[in-house]
Amino acid sequence: MTDTKTGDDKTLSVNTKKTLTLKRPSVEQGTVRQNFSHGRSKSVVVETKKRKFSRPDEPAAAPAAPAPVKPRPIVQTPQAQTRERPRPSPNAGDRSGVVLNSLSSGELEARRRALQDSKVREAEERVRALEDAKRRAEEDAQRQREREDSARRQAEEEERLKVEAEARRRSEEEARRRAPVADQAIVVPEDDDEGKSKSKGLPVKRVTPTKTEVAPRPAKPRTEDERRRGKLTLNKALSDDGEARGRSLSSMRRRQEKFRRAQHQEPREKISREVVLPETITIQELASRMAERAVDVVKYFMKEGQILKPGDVIDADTAELVAEEFGHTVKRVAESDVEEGLFNIADKSEDMKSRPPVVTIMGHVDHGKTSLLDAIRHANVVSGEAGGITQHIGAYQVVQDGQTITFIDTPGHAAFTAMRARGAEATDIAILVVAADDSVMPQTIESINHAKAAGVPIIVAINKMDKPEANAQKVRTELLQHEVFVESLGGEVLDVEVSAVKGTNLDKLLEAIVLQSEVLELKANPDRTAEGVVIEAKLDRGRGSVATVLVQTGTLHTGDIIVAGNEWGRVRALVNDRGEQMKEAPPSMPVEILGLQGTPQAGDRIAVVESEARAREIAEYRQRLARDKSVARQAGQRGSLEQMMSQLQDSGLKEFPLIIKGDVQGSIEAISSALEKLGTEEVQARIVHAGAGAITESDVSLAETSEAAIIGFNVRANKQARDAAEQAGIEIRYYNIIYDLVDDIKAAMSGLLSPERRETFLGNAEILEVFNVSKVGKVAGCRVTEGKVERGAGVRLIRDSVVIHEGKLKTLKRFKDEVSEVPAGQECGMAFENYEDIRAGDVIEAFRVEHITRTL
């Protein structure tokens, strides 16, 4: 809407053109930007009209008439002339005059016509603005009438819907009242709990509606009110009719209780708890066990002068003081208490039953241990081993005359001594296999020591009796030197002469085992939780972690939760030595277990626990203990490494560790003897392991442990061994000529030799005078008496024929100039590095040191 007024009022005009006049227009234009509530904006032109000055006797102009105004002649009054006449400057003189007098009559006529045209346009614009204002007022009135009509129709529709709903409700109540009460059956839905309270005194019949019994309920048409129930309208937003969901009664009570407690500062009732404290605990965990806020515990420490965080660890004594300060009782426990009741559970004598003996076959390599077990089991086990040498511990069961015997076959190779030791710990009887042609060998002696350390009885099996050079009596005699007394020589050790190839006296060997087991009276309780020992463990690509376990007591079932060393898991499957799945494993039975979370170590003890939580707790405690031991061991190794280096420096002996694998035993012996001849007093080759056959993963792991190099003579490494060597950074060298192998080892061992230190005498100089030079220190004025002195050479300071200092020259000068050398007979200035105790008359000896590489 446009507001048009006279005087200083403003006129809004949208489409107004500027008028070009000769004098300053009486209307000034500007632009104003209007912003509306719905986000739109518009720019409009604002015109400002100035007040007109007229004569007093001139009648006032009409406010705003739609009719055009007649042009009025311009009369220059004295006031106007005075106003329009420019003020004369002091320096103007006769040039001052009236501007209008200088204008011509044509110019005055043009000005009069322009003023008349502008007034006509102003009148037209006023008329147009009034028409626009009237039209907009009519449009606003029309919109207001439409809104009122719409609101009236909506109110009528709501009233009509209410009337219809009330009529429908009354008709339903009338129909319900007309129905006879006796024949009325109240149908209650199966899950309707409110129906029970509404139908008191009436028989309730639960009816499942079907198509034949109950007519389908007519669909209720959705009214306008229901359709718009969830939508927010203007009426809903402006009216507070309380349709919103209110707070529940319990919520209001809790709110009032909280407010009352805040008003009266009522402290909650203190509950004293028994807090279980381990050796170390975090502040957060302590607060959780006390049911206190961690912030309160931290505030307590701040009051005591300690700044701690909730994640900080405190010891049990500090935690006990805090718990008592907060009004709780304390129960101290150690971390090792989680293992209480895990092993060595006492069994009653009436529950004990006889169990099969566990027999370990031990002896020197290639003495026929696996062949003997093969003959007993009637299965070809040797053919599956690389080079005919047993690489892993195997456990088998054999039935002889109704008596079950469990055999554990341990490798006899020197590299598997630790495995053999673990096998001896898990056994009842040890069978010592000795070849009748080789007699007692070094690993035979080791086997005897392991059996004695485990405290198990020994049965000597003298094998290879089918060979013509077999001498059983020599074997018995040599065993006497190692305190193994056989029965034929007056001892208590059973001995049997057997032949694995011919199958001779195998029954006598089994009878000796059964006899020995009867003497030992081996018994176990099969009706308790199982315990056992891990014979071997590996990571199978298809089955995961697989552990070969010997059950020692109790019965192991599928689904049991077990702890094995640092690992735990649920038994998913039990597999016996023949590959058959079993549901349970009684005592003295070897089985493979599937389902462990990780791979345990061979020799770890296993036990069944009642829950996964305890199994996880025990495993985490053992892993933490193993980490602490590893850290302590590494710290100890640093010290022992320094000790070893000092011992090497003292003894001057350096070793070059090697692992040699060849095609035949003869080549290995030739290589070993050639390498032994290379050794000197300072360096020598140490053969960690030598054997016939291909290079395997076990050779790489042994090389990684002993930091040895792997030499292959006419053999190659398999893919697994190559990948393991590449991952561990171990070099594998292949040779087929023994001389090339020896030359390379000789060159490598030469690198371990310390270089030879050779000293060359240069000359002597005598100190004549000692000078103190600023920023340099003491400088000796010397004369070279013999040879020459070079800059950077080693020097010795000799006083009274005694060497009192050995070092290097810091400076060598002649007449304030640095020189590279000074010959005999000339004088020079010298200064020593980090030494200034020099006197006149001392002798300086100059020498050069050279290090020469040595070879074997």
Side-chain angles (χ1 to χ4, degrees):
M1 183 182 296
T2 304
D3 187 12
T4 305
K5 293 183 181 180
T6 59
D8 290 337
D9 296 341
K10 297 180 181 179
T11 301
L12 301 182
S13 177
V14 179
N15 298 319
T16 306
K17 296 181 181 179
K18 280 189 175 183
T19 304
L20 183 61
T21 59
L22 296 178
K23 72 169 194 174
R24 184 177 179 182
S26 61
V27 179
E28 293 184 355
Q29 294 183 354
T31 304
V32 175
R33 190 172 189 85
Q34 289 182 320
N35 294 321
F36 300 95
S37 60
H38 47 74
R40 291 177 53 195
S41 62
K42 182 174 68 173
S43 298
V44 297
V45 178
V46 179
E47 296 181 350
T48 305
K49 298 184 69 174
K50 293 191 175 182
R51 187 187 303 274
K52 295 181 181 180
F53 297 93
S54 58
R55 293 178 303 176
D57 57 347
E58 186 178 71
V69 182
K70 291 179 67 177
R72 196 173 32 145
I74 300 175
V75 179
Q76 298 290 341
T77 61
Q79 293 85 353
Q81 291 179 2
T82 305
R83 186 170 58 251
E84 291 182 3
R85 184 185 301 120
R87 183 177 297 175
S89 62
N91 301 324
D94 296 335
R95 288 174 298 184
S96 61
V98 180
V99 177
L100 293 177
N101 296 336
S102 62
L103 296 177
S104 62
S105 59
E107 291 174 348
L108 289 174
E109 185 63 25
R111 286 193 175 190
R112 193 178 298 109
R113 282 198 303 270
L115 183 59
Q116 185 178 357
D117 293 342
S118 66
K119 290 186 177 182
V120 170
R121 279 195 299 272
E122 287 178 4
E124 293 176 354
E125 288 172 1
R126 291 193 193 96
V127 173
R128 193 181 303 115
L130 287 174
E131 292 175 354
D132 290 344
K134 183 178 180 181
R135 178 173 49 81
R136 279 195 290 271
E138 292 175 355
E139 291 176 356
D140 292 342
Q142 180 66 22
R143 281 196 291 270
Q144 182 66 24
R145 285 195 298 273
E146 291 177 357
R147 282 197 295 269
E148 292 175 357
D149 293 342
S150 176
R152 187 175 63 258
R153 284 195 300 270
Q154 184 175 358
E156 293 174 356
E157 181 68 18
E158 291 178 355
E159 185 67 23
R160 185 182 61 80
L161 292 176
K162 287 182 181 178
V163 171
E164 290 179 357
E166 183 68 19
R168 192 184 302 109
R169 186 180 60 79
R170 290 176 179 174
S171 63
E172 289 177 357
E173 289 180 356
E174 186 68 22
R176 195 180 300 113
R177 258 196 317 272
R178 289 176 182 175
V181 178
D183 300 333
Q184 185 178 2
I186 299 176
V187 179
V188 182
E190 293 294 334
D191 55 349
D192 190 5
D193 294 335
E194 297 179 357
K196 298 177 183 178
S197 61
K198 291 181 180 179
S199 59
K200 292 181 180 179
L202 296 178
V204 178
K205 189 186 300 182
R206 300 195 179 273
V207 180
T208 304
T210 60
K211 292 184 179 179
T212 57
E213 294 178 355
V214 181
R217 186 176 179 181
K220 183 179 178 181
R222 294 184 63 186
T223 62
E224 182 69 19
D225 189 24
E226 291 176 348
R227 187 175 65 81
R228 301 182 58 86
R229 181 178 298 165
K231 298 180 181 180
L232 181 64
T233 62
L234 187 61
N235 294 333
K236 283 187 177 181
L238 296 178
S239 63
D240 188 12
D241 53 356
E243 291 183 2
R245 181 182 175 186
R247 298 172 64 95
S248 65
L249 187 59
S250 300
S251 175
M252 296 296 293
R253 286 176 179 171
R254 286 194 301 269
R255 185 176 181 183
Q256 292 174 0
E257 181 70 21
K258 185 177 180 181
F259 179 74
R260 190 182 306 112
R261 213 169 31 242
Q263 289 292 327
H264 299 284
Q265 295 293 326
E266 295 179 0
R268 289 191 177 183
E269 183 182 356
K270 188 71 175 179
I271 301 176
S272 178
R273 291 177 170 82
E274 185 183 35
V275 182
V276 178
L277 294 180
E279 296 173 358
T280 58
I281 189 173
T282 63
I283 293 178
Q284 182 69 48
E285 179 65 20
L286 175 62
S288 176
R289 296 189 181 188
M290 294 190 302
E292 303 282 351
R293 294 193 308 165
V295 178
D296 296 337
V297 182
V298 171
K299 287 181 180 178
Y300 169 77
F301 279 107
M302 292 177 68
K303 290 178 182 177
E304 298 296 325
Q306 289 182 296
I307 306 300
L308 297 176
K309 300 187 296 295
D312 290 342
V313 179
I314 58 177
D315 58 1
D317 295 335
T318 307
E320 184 176 359
L321 292 175
V322 174
E324 291 177 351
E325 184 70 23
F326 278 82
H328 303 286
T329 58
V330 173
K331 179 182 178 183
R332 295 280 290 270
V333 296
E335 280 189 312
S336 57
D337 292 345
V338 298
E339 293 188 341
E340 283 187 358
L342 195 62
F343 297 110
N344 303 326
I345 301 174
D347 294 315
K348 298 179 181 179
S349 57
E350 57 268 19
D351 296 334
M352 306 296 282
K353 298 179 182 178
S354 60
R355 63 174 178 84
V358 180
V359 181
T360 301
I361 299 181
M362 309 172 74
H364 191 73
V365 63
D366 202 24
H367 272 204
K369 300 181 299 299
T370 308
S371 299
L372 183 62
L373 184 60
D374 179 26
I376 295 174
R377 294 180 61 230
H378 306 289
N380 190 5
V381 178
V382 174
S383 62
E385 298 289 351
I389 300 175
T390 305
Q391 304 293 323
H392 303 285
I393 289 181
Y396 318 97
Q397 274 198 329
V398 175
V399 179
Q400 176 70 21
D401 297 334
Q403 177 75 29
T404 303
I405 303 172
T406 300
F407 284 94
I408 298 177
D409 181 23
T410 60
H413 203 282
F416 302 102
T417 302
M419 290 170 61
R420 185 170 59 247
R422 289 195 292 269
E425 290 171 0
T427 189
D428 300 317
I429 301 170
I431 294 182
L432 183 64
V433 179
V434 186
D437 54 347
D438 280 350
S439 190
V440 177
M441 300 296 286
Q443 291 174 7
T444 310
I445 302 170
E446 291 180 8
S447 302
I448 294 172
N449 295 333
H450 288 313
K452 287 184 176 180
V456 296
I458 298 174
I459 297 177
V460 178
I462 304 174
N463 196 16
K464 301 186 180 181
M465 289 302 297
D466 56 304
K467 289 192 174 183
E469 62 270 19
N471 188 352
Q473 194 61 33
K474 179 185 177 184
V475 173
R476 296 187 181 96
T477 306
E478 291 186 358
L479 287 175
L480 292 174
Q481 302 175 7
H482 306 287
E483 299 180 357
V484 177
F485 305 104
V486 298
E487 280 187 338
S488 58
L489 297 180
E492 297 180 354
V493 177
L494 299 176
D495 64 306
V496 183
E497 298 177 1
V498 297
S499 172
V501 176
K502 302 293 184 180
T504 310
N505 291 337
L506 295 181
D507 53 348
K508 289 186 178 180
L509 179 61
L510 296 176
E511 289 174 2
I513 295 172
V514 173
L515 177 63
Q516 188 69 53
S517 64
E518 290 177 354
V519 173
L520 295 175
E521 294 183 354
L522 303 172
K523 292 184 178 181
N525 181 11
D527 302 325
R528 48 157 288 185
T529 56
E531 292 181 20
V533 63
V534 178
I535 301 297
E536 191 56 67
K538 61 182 178 180
L539 185 63
D540 194 296
R541 181 174 296 178
R543 300 187 296 170
S545 296
V546 180
T548 304
V549 173
L550 176 68
V551 181
Q552 293 175 315
T553 182
T555 303
L556 185 63
H557 301 83
T558 304
D560 285 347
I561 301 169
I562 61 172
V563 176
N566 299 343
E567 307 295 340
W568 70 279
R570 185 183 293 272
V571 179
R572 289 194 286 111
L574 297 172
V575 184
N576 64 5
D577 57 325
R578 292 181 294 277
E580 302 169 351
Q581 288 206 7
M582 309 184 65
K583 293 185 178 180
E584 60 181 25
S588 298
M589 184 173 187
V591 288
E592 282 188 340
I593 292 179
L594 278 68
L596 289 171
Q597 300 288 330
T599 306
Q601 299 292 324
D604 287 341
R605 296 182 68 186
I606 72 162
V608 177
V609 295
E610 64 275 6
S611 64
E612 289 187 6
R614 190 177 180 212
R616 190 181 295 107
E617 188 178 7
I618 294 173
E620 289 175 354
Y621 163 69
R622 291 180 174 179
Q623 290 170 4
R624 187 164 57 252
L625 208 62
R627 282 196 299 269
D628 296 343
K629 287 183 179 179
S630 175
V631 172
R633 191 184 305 114
Q634 288 176 1
Q637 282 179 352
R638 284 194 286 271
S640 63
L641 185 62
E642 295 173 359
Q643 296 172 4
M644 186 180 70
M645 294 299 294
S646 62
Q647 291 173 1
L648 283 175
Q649 291 176 358
D650 295 341
S651 62
L653 179 63
K654 296 180 181 178
E655 291 183 340
F656 192 75
L658 291 171
I659 293 177
I660 300 173
K661 296 299 289 287
D663 52 349
V664 292
Q665 194 68 30
S667 301
I668 296 171
E669 291 177 359
I671 294 170
S672 301
S673 60
L675 294 179
E676 286 177 2
K677 294 177 183 178
L678 292 177
T680 63
E681 294 180 354
E682 294 184 29
V683 61
Q684 67 179 13
R686 178 171 66 90
I687 299 175
V688 177
H689 168 58
I695 300 172
T696 60
E697 286 182 273
S698 59
D699 297 323
V700 176
S701 61
L702 182 61
E704 185 179 3
T705 305
S706 57
E707 297 181 355
I710 300 178
I711 304 297
F713 188 77
N714 284 334
V715 293
R716 291 293 182 271
N718 55 28
K719 186 179 185 305
Q720 291 82 3
R722 287 198 303 270
D723 295 343
E726 183 178 355
Q727 185 177 1
I730 295 172
E731 182 184 7
I732 302 177
R733 290 199 173 191
Y734 303 108
Y735 298 94
N736 54 5
I737 301 174
I738 191 171
Y739 301 109
D740 295 342
L741 187 152
V742 173
D743 289 344
D744 284 358
I745 299 300
K746 182 178 179 180
M749 291 172 61
S750 299
L752 294 178
L753 290 174
S754 57
E756 181 181 354
R757 185 176 184 272
R758 184 175 297 175
E759 183 179 304
T760 304
F761 174 76
L762 294 179
N764 285 335
E766 182 183 358
I767 299 178
L768 302 179
E769 192 68 36
V770 179
F771 305 97
N772 282 321
V773 180
S774 61
K775 298 183 181 179
V776 177
K778 288 187 177 182
V779 176
C782 309
R783 179 189 294 118
V784 181
T785 58
E786 182 182 358
K788 62 180 180 179
V789 178
E790 294 180 352
R791 184 172 59 187
V795 291
R796 293 188 184 94
L797 185 63
I798 302 172
R799 184 178 299 161
D800 298 330
S801 300
V802 177
V803 178
I804 62 173
H805 174 69
E806 182 173 340
K808 284 188 176 182
L809 279 178
K810 181 170 67 173
T811 180
L812 180 63
K813 290 189 177 182
R814 271 184 57 79
F815 304 110
K816 298 184 180 181
D817 295 331
E818 284 282 347
V819 294
S820 58
E821 65 177 34
V822 179
Q826 293 186 359
E827 295 181 353
C828 61
M830 297 187 206
F832 294 90
E833 286 185 357
N834 304 323
Y835 190 78
E836 293 188 350
D837 185 14
I838 51 179
R839 302 176 188 174
D842 292 347
V843 177
I844 297 175
E845 178 185 334
F847 59 91
R848 184 191 302 119
V849 177
E850 297 175 349
H851 294 279
I852 301 173
T853 305
R854 299 166 57 199
T855 58
L856 291 173

